[in-house]
Amino acid sequence: MQPAHYPVVVVGGGQAGLSMSYYLHQAGIDHVVFEKHSAMHVWHDRRWDSFCLVTPNWQCQLPGFDYAGAAPHGFMRKDELNEYLAAFKRAVAAPLREGVAVLRVAPLPGGGYGVSTAAGEFTADQVVVASGGYHLPVIPRLAERLAGDIVQLHSEEYRNAASLPAGGVLVVGTGQSGAQIAEDLHLAGRRVFLAVGKAPRCARFYRGKDVVDWLAEMRYYDMPVNAHPLREGVRDNTNHYVTGRDGGRDIDLRKFALEGMELYGVLSDADRENLYFKENLRENLDAADAVYNGINASIDNYIEKHAIDAGAPSVYMPVWEPAAERSRLNLREAGIGAIIWCIGFTADFSWLDAAVFNGRGQPQHVRGVTAQPGLYFLGLPWLHTWGSGRFSGVARDARYLAECIQSHREAATRVAAT
Ligand SMILES: Cc1cc2nc3c(=O)[nH]c(=O)nc-3n(C[C@H](O)[C@H](O)[C@H](O)COP(=O)(O)OP(=O)(O)OC[C@H]3O[C@@H](n4cnc5c(N)ncnc54)[C@H](O)[C@@H]3O)c2cc1C
């Protein structure tokens, strides 16, 4: 029996896959979206209970479905966000096959792609990989050396303080998830130990506006990756920590330290009961504050250049300094019963059998278009702009890919005709 054929197969039913479907539908291009769990499930299944958006609601700009609620400058909580996404899913009405994992995609000798799935074999003229970038939670192998009665979770498994054993909690990592989870535990009254990494931070509000609003006005979010000073290197950057909780505020780890949170540098080693840290807490706090002040200074320049009437400028001054670097923490003595690993994810494209990866195993593409005709990526951080892996930029990228897919079809039709 011949496998069923689709002009386009989309792998993944998150915001990227459904955005792709929206534009393919508009262009009248038949397609299917394979989603191994259920569409948008990550926002239900992989976020903690008090999760809320870090980006302001107005940046929810999914295709045909801009945020239209009463709080464009607010930050949707998990339940509100899931309602918004469920409504988007209904509006797109994509040809979704949920519960169907794509197991292998490989170019066929005569052109097009073979697509093996949990529901059988398919072929496609073109394939869009919209499977996200956060596949495998990173937990360092040194975790295996820790005593077995210490509960260990990855950030995507954390739900709330009450679900952890009593006692202190060590949070490792201060990207967006680590900083917000540490705050969540701190607000719940838990004794928190935090291994502070190299992540930068930014202000929530500055000179009368959300920093995101300023950066949007400064057209930062329109800057393509090839115009960024770091070029494609920016794709490896850790996100700035800040929160949208309770209407939005800064996350200042020094303030937490004043309130009793125990800060350490980067985790470097462990034995059964001890964790060892690099003596770089001061350096990491200073570096995060330097980025914070640097972003504010760029806003100051913009305000000055355009003679904008805004609030007074200010510079963040540290409210706390570490008295000394501490390089060892004994889990028993500190009463720590749980560790939450917040050191990110790695991508897993092992099912994609095509020569479209660079020397570091990362997808190689220009604006999502690979060197393999008819194979595309969508939804990855800085695929094209800052917003590509977020709610604000995925529509623009999906629209562009729909145009590329259409051009590819027209070229194929011309070749067939001649
Ligand atoms: C903790 C956290 C907080 C974030 N906060 C914000 C925020 O405040 N604002 C913002 O704009 N962005 C935020 N983001 C970033 C971004 O919006 C999300 O990562 C978003 O989920 C990316 O959407 P996506 O569709 O590209 O990928 P995903 O949502 O990961 O969707 C990919 C889908 O593909 C499916 N899939 C994977 N492999 C296969 C396969 N082989 N076969 C079939 N299906 C497959 C998965 O099941 C998944 O449903 C956050 C990300 C994280 C991790």
Side-chain angles (χ1 to χ4, degrees):
M1 224 171 73
Q2 286 288 343
H5 181 81
Y6 289 97
V8 180
V9 160
V10 179
V11 184
Q15 69 214 29
L18 296 194
S19 298
M20 192 68 250
S21 179
Y22 175 91
Y23 285 111
L24 291 173
H25 178 73
Q26 282 210 330
I29 300 174
D30 189 21
H31 62 283
V32 65
V33 181
F34 289 121
E35 163 53 55
K36 71 172 160 186
H37 300 292
S38 57
M40 306 288 190
H41 77 101
V42 298
W43 299 99
H44 278 285
D45 303 342
R46 311 247 166 109
R47 306 285 182 264
W48 54 96
D49 293 351
S50 67
F51 176 87
C52 59
L53 283 177
V54 168
T55 49
N57 294 336
W58 67 262
Q59 278 206 330
C60 288
Q61 296 166 332
L62 294 176
F65 216 75
D66 282 359
Y67 174 84
H73 296 284
F75 308 89
M76 280 186 268
R77 292 189 318 268
K78 183 175 173 177
D79 54 338
E80 297 167 319
L81 180 61
N82 277 311
E83 272 172 39
Y84 166 76
L85 294 175
F88 173 63
K89 179 179 168 183
R90 285 194 298 276
V92 175
L96 247 182
R97 301 253 340 237
E98 294 178 295
V100 177
V102 171
L103 307 174
R104 185 165 181 262
V105 169
L108 295 171
Y113 294 86
V115 181
S116 304
T117 76
E121 300 296 318
F122 298 84
T123 56
D125 298 327
Q126 305 189 68
V127 173
V128 180
V129 178
S131 58
Y134 303 123
H135 303 128
L136 305 175
V138 176
I139 297 187
R141 296 291 307 256
L142 63 79
E144 296 162 20
R145 298 209 291 272
L146 296 169
D149 59 333
I150 305 283
V151 170
Q152 299 190 45
L153 302 177
H154 189 267
S155 58
E156 70 168 23
E157 297 167 304
Y158 171 72
R159 290 296 163 267
N160 53 51
S163 58
L164 299 179
V169 184
L170 171 68
V171 177
V172 182
T174 46
Q176 276 188 4
S177 296
Q180 289 176 74
I181 289 172
E183 183 190 52
D184 192 50
L185 291 161
H186 183 65
L187 293 177
R190 299 299 286 261
R191 185 147 187 240
V192 180
F193 299 79
L194 180 63
V196 177
K198 303 268 179 200
R201 75 182 188 110
C202 67
R204 178 77 274 170
F205 303 105
Y206 185 60
R207 301 191 70 176
K209 267 212 274 223
D210 193 314
V211 163
V212 171
D213 291 32
W214 282 121
L215 294 179
E217 200 176 312
M218 291 157 68
R219 310 216 71 82
Y220 178 72
Y221 301 130
D222 294 327
M223 181 200 301
V225 63
N226 57 12
H228 193 280
L230 297 175
R231 300 289 189 278
E232 293 182 1
V234 70
R235 291 178 180 151
D236 298 329
N237 274 12
T238 310
N239 289 322
H240 301 69
Y241 60 86
V242 61
T243 184
R245 191 161 174 166
D246 301 330
R249 57 177 171 246
D250 290 2
I251 292 187
D252 183 355
L253 303 181
R254 298 180 196 265
K255 180 172 155 285
F256 292 158
L258 277 178
E259 294 165 359
M261 196 183 283
E262 305 273 354
L263 305 188
Y264 289 77
V266 167
L267 178 66
S268 59
D269 204 356
D271 54 35
R272 202 176 147 72
E273 293 198 353
N274 294 294
L275 293 166
Y276 300 93
F277 301 87
K278 291 189 180 165
E279 296 189 355
N280 58 5
L281 172 62
R282 180 182 291 271
E283 179 190 322
N284 294 349
L285 291 173
D286 287 349
D289 290 342
V291 173
Y292 179 106
N293 282 328
I295 293 172
N296 289 354
S298 70
I299 296 171
D300 291 338
N301 286 340
Y302 173 80
I303 289 173
E304 200 176 313
K305 190 167 157 204
H306 294 85
I308 296 167
D309 185 15
S314 62
V315 173
Y316 173 81
M317 299 302 284
V319 295
W320 176 88
E321 295 282 3
E325 297 283 347
R326 290 177 293 179
S327 57
R328 189 181 75 94
L329 174 64
N330 182 286
L331 296 172
R332 301 277 172 234
E333 286 165 11
I336 292 173
I339 299 179
I340 306 179
W341 299 102
C342 303
I343 49 178
F345 301 82
T346 51
D348 177 16
F349 296 110
S350 54
W351 49 269
L352 182 53
D353 195 358
V356 291
F357 296 95
N358 66 19
R360 296 168 61 205
Q362 296 162 333
Q364 201 160 35
H365 60 85
V366 177
R367 221 177 154 177
V369 181
T370 74
Q372 176 75 45
L375 183 60
Y376 312 90
F377 286 94
L378 180 64
L380 300 177
W382 277 99
L383 182 109
H384 176 50
T385 62
W386 177 88
S388 290
R390 297 177 167 89
F391 288 114
S392 61
V394 69
R396 170 166 46 189
D397 294 350
R399 191 176 57 226
Y400 175 75
L401 287 192
E403 287 163 14
C404 296
I405 288 167
Q406 183 60 19
S407 303
H408 184 91
R409 282 160 63 81
E410 286 164 8
T413 310
R414 277 196 302 277
V415 169
T418 53

